[in-house]
Amino acid sequence: MLWSKLFHLGDLSLTLPAGSAIAGWLLAARAWRAALGWSVVFGLALALVAATKVAFMGWETGLPALGYKAVSGHAAGFTAAFPTLCWLLAQRCAPPLRLRAALLALGLGMAVAAALVHAGEHTPIEAIAGWIVGLAAFLSTVHLAGDAPAPPPGRAISCAALAFGATAWALHSISVGYWMIRLALALSGNSYPYPWDNCS
C-alpha cells in the first residue's frame, strides 16, 4: 500500500509548485544568482524529461534492450526539489545537520524511484536516470547557492507559499500530458503517438 502511494510524491502537481516555492524562497533572501540558477537548472531538468517523453511518443526512441523509453519525471522532479528544499530549510542549522537533511531527502528520492519500479510505472533504468537528473539539479543548485543568506522566516514563507500557490493554480488548468502528446504528433507528423505502456 505504501509503495503504491509513495511515487505520487513525484507528481508534477507537487514538484513544479515546490520548485517555484524554492525560487520564491531564494528571491526572498535576495540571492539573485541562486534563484536564477535554480530556475534554469530545474527548468532544464524538467525539459530533459519532457524531451525524452516527446521523442518516444513521436519516434519511439529508446533502448528496448535495457527497457528504457524515457527519463522518469517523478524521480527527477522529486530528487531535484525535495533535497533542495531541505537544504534551504536547514540553512540556520550546523553544517553536519544540514548535510544529513539533504542526504535523507536524497534517500527518499531513491525510495520514490524504487516505488515507481515496484508500481510498474517505470523500469529500473528509467527511474535511475530520473534520480540522476534530479541529483545533478540539486548539486548544481547547492554549488550556485553557495552561502546564500537565510531570508527572514516570515518573508521567506510568504514568498514560497505565494509561488507554490500560483504555480499549483496554473497547473490545475493545464494538461501537461495532453500538450506533450500534441507536440510529439506535430513534430513527428504521426497521427497517433507510440503507445506508452510502461514496463511492457
Side-chain angles (χ1 to χ4, degrees):
M1 188 68 168
L2 176 64
W3 282 105
S4 65
K5 293 184 178 179
L6 184 60
F7 74 85
H8 288 298
L9 291 174
D11 287 352
L12 190 64
S13 60
L14 289 175
T15 56
L16 191 56
S20 296
I22 290 167
W25 181 284
L26 292 168
L27 289 171
R30 294 188 170 88
W32 316 119
R33 180 172 173 261
L36 177 62
W38 163 253
S39 299
V40 169
V41 165
F42 188 59
L44 286 174
L46 295 182
L48 174 63
V49 169
T52 63
K53 292 184 187 254
V54 167
F56 178 80
M57 289 185 288
W59 295 273
E60 200 176 20
T61 58
L63 301 169
L66 296 176
Y68 171 82
K69 293 179 180 177
V71 174
S72 167
H74 282 67
F78 183 88
T79 308
F82 192 65
T84 303
L85 190 58
C86 289
W87 179 261
L88 292 174
L89 290 173
Q91 270 182 308
R92 298 179 191 274
C93 299
L97 187 59
R98 193 179 190 193
L99 180 60
R100 272 191 223 116
L103 290 174
L104 184 63
L106 287 170
L108 187 54
M110 189 72 81
V112 168
L116 287 161
V117 175
H118 187 269
E121 295 292 320
H122 278 288
T123 61
I125 190 75
E126 293 168 343
I128 291 168
W131 188 85
I132 291 171
V133 168
L135 174 66
F138 165 67
L139 293 176
S140 298
T141 303
V142 168
H143 175 71
L144 290 168
D147 292 324
R155 185 172 72 197
I157 291 170
S158 297
C159 288
L162 181 64
F164 186 96
T167 306
W169 176 82
L171 272 177
H172 185 68
S173 58
I174 299 171
S175 175
V176 176
Y178 169 80
W179 289 108
M180 282 202 304
I181 291 170
R182 297 299 300 169
L183 179 61
L185 296 179
L187 292 174
S188 67
N190 296 337
S191 300
Y192 300 98
Y194 283 95
W196 186 264
D197 295 323
N198 294 315
C199 299
S200 62

